Amino acid sequence: MERKLIDKILAEAPAEEPARQYFFADECRKIITEKENLKGRKLTCCINTFGCQMNAKDSEKLLGILKTIGYEESDSEQSDFVLYNTCTVRENANERVYGRLGVLKTYKKRNPDMITAVCGCMMQEKHVVETIKKSYRHVNLIFGTHNIYKLAELLFMYLAEDRNQTELLEGTDKIVENLPSERKFNYKSGVNIMFGCNNFCSYCIVPYVRGRERSRSPEEIISEVRRLSADGVTEIMLLGQNVNSYKADISFPQLLKQVSEVEGIRRVRFMTSHPKDLSDELIEVIRDNPSICRHVHLPLQSGSSRILKIMNRRYDKETYISLAEKIRREIPGVSITTDIIVGFPGETEEDFQETLDVVRKVRFDSAFTFIYSKRTGTKAAEMPDQVPKDIVDERFRRLLDLVTEISKEQTALYEGCTMEVMAEEVNSRDPSLISGRLSNNSIVHFKGSSDLIGSVINVHLDEAKGFYYYGTIAHDVSVS
Ligand code: SAH
Ligand code: SF4
Ligand code: F3S
C-alpha cells in the first residue's frame, strides 16, 4: 500500500478503544477480501494456545478479532494466519514454542503468503524477543500480553507496510472491554475478573509478564455473564491469578454470589484462590449457594514453612492445613485440588517430607505437580543451592505416587452415588459416551446423546477409575 494511503487511513482511525480496533478490522477485511478473490478461496487462521486459562480466554478474543477480519478458523498450522499465544511459566513451555516455530518455517516455505505471529507471556521477556528476531525471522507479528486487543491494528500495519511488526508494552493500567470473542465451548465460558498479579512469589514469572493487578468492575463482569447466559452459556469460570485479591466496591465472595444468581447460570467456578487471603466469607458463600461448584483449587506449592517463607507465599504449613480442614468441614462434598513445586532452591529431604505430610493430611482430590523451573528475572533464580536434577526427579516420582494413590482413594469415595453431572462433550474415543463433570470437578463418562451437552443430569457413578468415573443416567430422578 502506498504511504500516502496508509497515512490517510491512520489519520481517519478513531483514537478511542475498542472503536479503533473495529476500524482496523474493517480495513484488514478489505485487504483479506482481495486476497480471497485472488486465491479463489477463504483464508484460514489457526491459534495455538499454550499455558493457563487466562491465555485460553485471550485466545478467544484473538480468534474473535480474526473472524471479524474474515478469516475462517482451522485446526491446521498450515493455515494462512498462524498465531502462537505463548506461556513462559516453566522452561518446557518455552521449548515447545521454539520447536513449533521451527516447524512453521517449513510450512511457510510451501505457502510464502502465510502470516505468522507470536504473542502472550513469553514475548514480555526481552531475551525471548531477541531470540525470535534473530533466529526465527519468518515471524511477522510479535506482541505481548498487554496489547492483545490491538491485533487488528498490528495486522493492518503489516499488510499495509509489508513489514514485520513488533509492539511490546512494559505494563498497562488499561482494560479494553467489548471486543469480539469466539468461544471454544457453547455451554461454558471463562470470564476475566482481574488481570495481572502483585504477589511476586519468588519462583514465579507471572507478575513480570502479566503486570500489576487490575480488577474489572462488577457491572462489566455481570453484564458479560448476562450476555453469555443469553447466548446459551450455563457454566461460568471466573478467572484471576488470585481471585481473593479482587478489588472493587464489592468483595470477591459478593461478586461470586451475584454471578451465581444470574438467570440461566447453573454452575460457577473460579481460579485461582491464594491461601493467604481466602476469607470465611468466601467459604460461606460457596456453602450457601449450590450453583457455586464444590471445588476449591488451593495451590500449596510446598509443605515446608521454611520454604514457603522463601517462596514469599505468606502462609505456613499449619495455617494451610487448618484452612483446608475448615473448607472441608464447612462445605460438605467439596474437593480440594492443588499445585505443588518440587526442587525449589535449597529444598532438603526434610522440607520435602513436610510436603508429603501435608498431602497425606489434606488428602488432595487431585494435584498438579511441577518440577521447579528457574525463571530468569525472578528472585529464586538468584538463589544458591539449586537442587540437583537426579534428586528432584526422585522426589517428583515419590510425590506423584502419593498424590495419585490418594486421589484414587478420594475418587472411590463417591462410587455408587448418584450425582449431578454437567454434560460437556461427546467422548473423543467413544462417541457413544458423553463426558461431563461433577460439581467437584471430577470427570464422568456415560452413555448419552449430544443434545444433552450443556445440561445438568443425574448420573449414577457405577465405577470409579482412578481420576474419573463410568456412570449411567439415573432415569428415576428428574433431568433438567
Ligand atoms: N496464580 C496461581 C498460579 C499460576 S501459575 C497461583 O498462585 O496459584 C500455575 C502454577 O505453576 C503455580 O501454582 C505453580 O505451582 C507453578 N509454577 C509457577 N512458577 C513455577 C516455576 N518457576 N517452576 C515450576 N512451577 C511453577
Ligand atoms: Fe505466580 Fe504467586 Fe502470582 Fe500465582 S500468586 S501468579 S504463583 S506470583
Ligand atoms: Fe503461562 Fe502466562 Fe498463564 S506464563 S501460566 S500463560 S499467565
Side-chain angles (χ1 to χ4, degrees):
M1 201 180 273
E2 272 180 39
R3 190 71 237 174
K4 258 197 198 151
L5 184 54
I6 301 175
D7 290 339
K8 183 170 166 277
I9 294 172
L10 290 180
E12 282 168 9
E16 69 281 4
E17 300 292 2
R20 185 175 173 86
Q21 297 314 312
Y22 281 99
F23 171 89
F24 282 113
D26 265 349
E27 292 301 323
C28 288
R29 194 185 308 121
K30 290 178 200 161
I31 304 172
I32 296 300
T33 313
E34 272 175 32
K35 286 185 188 266
E36 281 173 5
N37 292 340
L38 277 174
K39 288 186 192 280
R41 62 167 177 86
K42 283 275 187 192
L43 297 194
T44 54
C45 71
C46 170
I47 302 181
N48 193 347
T49 309
F50 300 80
C52 67
Q53 307 264 0
M54 319 275 164
N55 260 20
K57 180 73 190 179
D58 283 350
S59 287
E60 293 186 352
K61 296 179 188 168
L62 292 160
L63 182 61
I65 297 170
L66 290 174
K67 284 199 153 182
T68 308
I69 289 172
Y71 283 101
E72 270 183 3
E73 189 187 2
S74 159
D75 287 341
S76 163
E77 288 191 354
Q78 302 192 41
S79 291
D80 299 296
F81 186 103
V82 177
L83 170 63
Y84 288 162
N85 189 7
T86 63
C87 170
T88 185
V89 78
R90 287 171 289 275
E91 188 57 33
N92 54 9
N94 294 40
E95 282 158 10
R96 275 172 56 216
V97 169
Y98 287 131
R100 292 305 315 160
L101 281 177
V103 177
L104 270 197
K105 196 168 176 178
T106 60
Y107 295 161
K108 198 160 173 160
K109 279 211 181 101
R110 269 180 246 160
N111 175 9
D113 246 6
M114 175 177 175
I115 301 172
T116 52
V118 285
C119 69
C121 295
M122 257 174 93
M123 301 309 129
Q124 295 296 136
E125 296 179 282
K126 286 205 172 69
H127 64 94
V128 171
V129 176
E130 278 162 23
T131 305
I132 291 184
K133 285 194 158 170
K134 206 168 85 208
S135 308
Y136 300 87
R137 297 220 189 121
H138 56 293
V139 173
N140 304 118
L141 301 180
I142 303 177
F143 54 108
T145 55
H146 302 301
N147 49 355
I148 63 144
Y149 69 92
K150 284 181 80 174
L151 171 59
E153 182 168 350
L154 290 165
L155 179 58
F156 169 76
M157 292 311 293
Y158 170 75
L159 292 167
E161 292 183 336
D162 194 20
R163 212 156 48 99
N164 291 349
Q165 306 284 325
T166 303
E167 189 188 271
L168 294 157
L169 308 177
E170 297 243 324
T172 182
D173 48 13
K174 214 163 157 174
I175 299 178
V176 176
E177 302 280 0
N178 300 323
L179 283 163
S181 178
E182 274 291 322
R183 286 199 318 278
K184 199 164 170 205
F185 298 94
N186 291 328
Y187 71 92
K188 70 171 173 182
S189 179
V191 171
N192 295 116
I193 64 164
M194 54 196 298
F195 303 91
C197 181
N198 288 353
N199 288 310
F200 290 96
C201 302
S202 62
Y203 51 82
C204 185
I205 194 84
V206 171
Y208 302 90
V209 295
R210 286 272 169 179
R212 295 294 66 73
E213 262 171 33
R214 286 147 280 143
S215 295
R216 284 177 82 194
S217 77
E219 295 75 25
E220 285 287 355
I221 295 166
I222 297 292
S223 73
E224 180 175 346
V225 173
R226 287 211 182 100
R227 269 199 311 274
L228 289 165
S229 168
D231 199 29
V233 167
T234 54
E235 180 171 319
I236 296 288
M237 164 84 88
L238 300 179
L239 300 172
Q241 291 300 351
N242 174 16
V243 292
N244 299 328
S245 55
Y246 176 75
K247 272 184 205 65
D249 27 346
I250 60 173
S251 67
F252 172 65
Q254 287 157 357
L255 176 73
L256 186 60
K257 184 165 183 294
Q258 285 190 16
V259 169
S260 76
E261 285 164 354
V262 170
E263 207 184 314
I265 298 303
R266 302 291 308 268
R267 281 189 173 175
V268 187
R269 302 184 180 277
F270 56 92
M271 282 264 270
T272 292
S273 229
H274 195 304
K276 78 178 158 68
D277 46 14
L278 192 152
S279 64
D280 288 348
E281 189 193 6
L282 178 61
I283 297 176
E284 282 159 27
V285 165
I286 302 173
R287 183 192 63 200
D288 298 340
N289 292 276
S291 61
I292 301 174
C293 287
R294 316 286 84 185
H295 174 210
V296 179
H297 185 65
L298 196 65
L300 167 69
Q301 314 301 3
S302 167
S304 153
S305 296
R306 187 183 79 82
I307 294 286
L308 285 169
K309 193 157 188 161
I310 314 173
M311 283 180 162
N312 193 29
R313 288 291 288 179
R314 284 171 278 177
Y315 53 86
D316 61 15
K317 180 185 176 190
E318 286 67 33
T319 36
Y320 185 95
I321 293 176
S322 51
L323 177 60
E325 282 170 351
K326 194 193 315 176
I327 294 171
R328 287 222 195 266
R329 195 169 56 238
E330 294 294 322
I331 313 171
V334 75
S335 66
I336 301 181
T337 60
T338 201
D339 294 345
I340 300 171
I341 298 175
V342 179
F344 182 83
E347 183 189 74
T348 62
E349 178 59 27
E350 290 70 46
D351 294 316
F352 178 64
Q353 286 297 335
E354 300 276 296
T355 299
L356 295 180
D357 190 42
V358 178
V359 172
R360 281 191 206 100
K361 291 202 164 104
V362 175
R363 300 189 58 77
F364 293 109
D365 295 85
S366 100
F368 293 105
T369 50
F370 304 109
I371 286 178
Y372 167 74
S373 174
K374 185 171 169 178
R375 307 318 288 137
T376 310
T378 62
K379 280 228 171 79
E382 310 292 314
M383 290 177 189
D385 305 327
Q386 305 273 333
V387 186
K389 185 174 178 309
D390 54 336
I391 296 182
V392 180
D393 287 347
E394 191 268 335
R395 283 182 197 159
F396 183 78
R397 221 346 77 217
R398 275 192 283 160
L399 175 65
L400 195 60
D401 287 347
L402 182 65
V403 297
T404 310
E405 181 191 320
I406 292 177
S407 62
K408 269 189 187 165
E409 290 167 6
Q410 289 296 110
T411 311
L413 289 178
Y414 298 105
E415 196 180 67
C417 298
T418 295
M419 293 176 99
E420 287 189 344
V421 174
M422 168 73 81
E424 299 204 330
E425 58 194 354
V426 175
N427 189 294
S428 51
R429 291 215 198 116
D430 178 351
S432 74
L433 295 179
I434 296 291
S435 301
R437 239 171 247 270
L438 299 178
S439 171
N440 75 9
N441 213 34
S442 293
I443 293 187
V444 186
H445 306 295
F446 58 98
K447 285 245 181 285
S449 63
S450 59
D451 54 347
L452 294 173
I453 291 169
S455 57
V456 179
I457 306 149
N458 282 303
V459 175
H460 182 264
L461 307 176
D462 304 327
E463 194 186 357
K465 283 272 200 187
F467 300 105
Y468 59 91
Y469 302 90
Y470 281 118
T472 335
I473 297 180
H475 286 289
D476 49 334
V477 255
S478 66
V479 173
S480 55

